[in-house]
Amino acid sequence: MAVDYIVIVVYLAGMLAMGWWGMRRAKSKSEFLVAGRRLGPGMYSGTMAAIVLGGASTIGGVGLGYQYGLSGAWMVVTIGLGILALSVFFSARIARLKVYTVSEMLDLRYGGRAGVISGVVMWAYTLMLAVTSTIAYATIFDVLFDVNRTLAIVLGGSIVVAYSTLGGMWSITLTDMVQFVVKTIGVLLLLLPIAVVKAGGFGEMKAQLPTEYFDPLGIGGETIFTYVLIYTFGMLIGQDIWQRVFTAGSDRTAKWGGTVAGTYCLVYAVAGAIIGTAAKVLYPKLASPDDAFATIVKDELPIGVRGLVLAAALAAVMSTSSGALIACATVANNDIWSRLRGAVGGPAGEGADGHDEVKGNRAFILAMGVAVVLISIALNDVVEALTVAYNLLVGGLLVPILGGLLWKRGTAQGALAAVAVGGLAVVGLMAAYGILANEPVYYGLLASLAAYVAVSLATRPTDEATLTAWRERLAGRVPEPESEPAVPAHQ
């Protein structure tokens, strides 16, 4: 596997080089956290697709294909649908707000009283998302180098923390573009056709497998509905996703670039399910469906190609991990720490010296990165951690965020009630029904909606001055809080 090792080492070295290059670009808070808000459609589409298509979409998507056939695509399909909905209906307005976090948006909409508790919930979500992505390194590095779990997590996590800390969103954007290309070549152009050919073609696959493997709804209606609630709605409100929207150079870029990324996700979903179905023909008795990706890559691909496809899996994990890490650090610094220390200035508590803000955010990425690696070493159950993260996000924050964007009558008290009631309901129901049950997110979301509507109607409407300022921000008539030099949008 010497050639495969060379491919992987060159790839990892390239990621660190991108981090070093990005450090030269990140001279202000806006450059460091949102790439100066000036990405063109090409880079925006690539980085948006990279952040949402992580290890769960790649390794997990193939595993679902192995277990359920073509209907195993539904998890990643719902992710793609979420990105499409966000891009078409909300992204232009979100980009025009010129904020750094979801909690800042809530503060603007509800008059500065809803962001603190939402920041804590969003921080917990992004932290768990970063942890689950980091744990995935253990699977990939075990196949690559046969190293133990702890060393694999430290190795993969250290590389992501290094390039993210150095250059912030510029480094992450550049590495995401490389990762997007590597994933496209490795998974769509190489692994997909090779897997189908090795399995004897679609005719042989149909002959070897039960008919339900080719039923688009074979995974079950309730499962699909749960995926929509968790992943489609999760894409609409996650800090990791919004932070990418904030990088768009224009409304048009946010809308159409995101639409391209969402469409790409749908293609990637079907490809993963087909690869998993082919693996079921080749290896009908694997111990775990999640072993399907590594097994077919290790046993069926030629030297060199195998290294590239494993690099594609590594790229998928790194893109989600780095995006979740910078989102977690941004929330921790701008929504929690800056409020605790009583910071003053712009909406995110920024200081007069933009360079000092870069240092502060860089320190938070490093600190959060170390915490993520340590938690990843201690934690074993990835699925449970990810489920807790998405249940809290959707159950606690979906209603006040979408309510703020769509319903004028929503109030700060209603938003706080929705976050508190929805969050507590989700936690209580997970304790009662089990973490992996569907009921917590179902009933938690209903409880949050009921609390939001009832409390909003029972309290005084948001004052007109706050709503006027909110409308001005949505219309894009308020300049960037931080002064930036005029630079053309990057393509």
Side-chain angles (χ1 to χ4, degrees):
M1 291 185 66
V3 176
D4 296 324
Y5 290 160
I6 291 171
V7 171
I8 298 296
V9 170
V10 168
Y11 168 76
L12 294 176
M15 295 299 98
L16 292 174
M18 292 289 185
W20 184 261
W21 190 90
M23 184 175 65
R24 300 169 57 193
R25 303 294 306 270
K27 300 299 184 183
S28 68
K29 180 179 180 178
S30 178
E31 294 283 355
F32 190 82
L33 292 182
V34 291
R37 305 189 196 276
R38 56 179 196 235
L39 295 190
M43 291 188 76
Y44 180 86
S45 297
T47 191
M48 182 61 84
I51 178 66
V52 298
L53 295 174
S57 300
T58 304
I59 298 170
V62 171
L64 286 171
Y66 182 89
Q67 188 172 3
Y68 298 105
L70 297 185
S71 67
W74 272 106
M75 183 185 77
V76 185
V77 164
T78 57
I79 290 173
L81 293 176
I83 295 300
L84 287 171
L86 176 71
S87 302
V88 172
F89 299 113
F90 300 109
S91 62
R93 282 185 285 175
I94 292 169
R96 287 196 294 266
L97 289 173
K98 295 289 190 277
V99 295
Y100 293 101
T101 69
V102 174
S103 294
E104 288 179 51
M105 168 264 171
L106 292 173
D107 275 350
L108 285 171
R109 169 60 181 82
Y110 295 112
R113 290 170 291 173
V116 180
I117 188 172
S118 65
V120 173
V121 174
M122 189 64 77
W123 175 77
Y125 156 72
T126 53
L127 180 70
M128 284 297 100
L129 186 61
V131 165
T132 55
S133 301
T134 302
I135 290 173
Y137 294 127
T139 300
I140 299 170
F141 279 101
D142 179 56
V143 175
L144 285 172
F145 305 119
D146 193 26
V147 297
N148 68 55
R149 180 180 182 276
T150 299
L151 182 59
I153 289 172
V154 171
L155 178 60
S158 297
I159 293 169
V160 170
V161 172
Y163 73 69
S164 301
T165 302
L166 286 172
M169 187 59 81
W170 268 121
S171 294
I172 292 170
T173 297
L174 294 170
T175 54
D176 276 356
M177 286 306 299
V178 176
Q179 290 159 356
F180 172 74
V181 172
V182 171
K183 281 192 286 191
T184 301
I185 295 172
V187 175
L188 298 185
L189 302 184
L190 292 176
L191 182 57
L192 175 61
I194 290 173
V196 172
V197 170
K198 291 284 188 177
F202 287 106
E204 183 65 19
M205 289 162 65
K206 286 187 176 181
Q208 292 286 336
L209 296 173
T211 55
E212 55 263 27
Y213 264 72
F214 301 91
D215 179 359
L217 303 177
I219 198 169
E222 183 179 355
T223 299
I224 295 170
F225 180 67
T226 302
Y227 284 160
V228 169
L229 278 185
I230 293 177
Y231 296 114
T232 301
F233 287 125
M235 293 300 108
L236 295 179
I237 59 174
Q239 169 68 25
D240 51 324
I241 310 302
W242 277 40
Q243 201 154 342
R244 299 310 170 98
V245 176
F246 299 151
T247 66
S250 67
D251 293 359
R252 184 178 178 84
T253 293
K255 183 174 183 178
W256 296 110
T259 301
V260 170
T263 304
Y264 179 89
C265 291
L266 301 182
V267 174
Y268 200 87
V270 175
I274 292 173
I275 293 167
T277 304
K280 183 68 175 179
V281 174
L282 294 167
Y283 311 100
K285 296 183 179 180
L286 289 178
S288 168
D290 285 340
D291 293 337
F293 181 89
T295 303
I296 197 169
V297 169
K298 193 173 183 179
D299 294 350
E300 302 297 337
L301 298 185
I303 294 172
V305 173
R306 179 171 50 200
L308 184 60
V309 173
L310 286 172
L314 197 57
V317 175
M318 282 186 160
S319 56
T320 300
S321 181
S322 59
L325 176 59
I326 193 172
C328 177
T330 302
V331 171
N333 188 16
N334 291 269
D335 293 336
I336 301 174
W337 173 243
S338 67
R339 298 171 194 270
L340 291 177
R341 69 181 182 180
V344 296
E350 58 210 78
D353 186 343
H355 191 65
D356 289 340
E357 285 294 309
V358 172
K359 288 181 179 178
N361 283 290
R362 186 173 280 138
F364 265 87
I365 290 180
L366 180 59
M368 291 298 104
V370 171
V372 164
V373 170
L374 293 177
I375 295 171
S376 300
I377 292 170
L379 198 63
N380 286 316
D381 199 319
V382 181
V383 176
E384 288 197 355
L386 194 61
T387 301
V388 170
Y390 273 101
N391 281 354
L392 282 173
L393 176 71
V394 174
L397 292 181
L398 178 68
V399 169
I401 292 172
L402 293 189
L405 289 169
L406 299 173
W407 192 37
K408 178 182 176 181
R409 187 61 180 81
T411 66
Q413 294 88 342
L416 288 170
V419 175
V421 171
L424 291 173
V426 163
V427 171
L429 290 165
M430 283 192 293
Y433 288 95
I435 289 176
L436 299 180
N438 293 329
E439 286 84 359
V441 71
Y442 292 169
Y443 300 135
L445 192 55
L446 288 174
S448 179
L449 177 61
Y452 181 70
V453 173
V455 175
S456 291
L457 292 176
T459 52
R460 294 180 61 183
T462 305
D463 66 88
E464 193 56 37
T466 298
L467 289 177
T468 299
W470 167 253
R471 287 191 288 265
E472 289 291 304
R473 293 295 283 263
L474 278 181
R477 289 191 285 266
V478 177
E480 168 76 30
E482 180 178 80
S483 177
E484 294 292 344
V487 180
H490 286 262
Q491 299 299 320

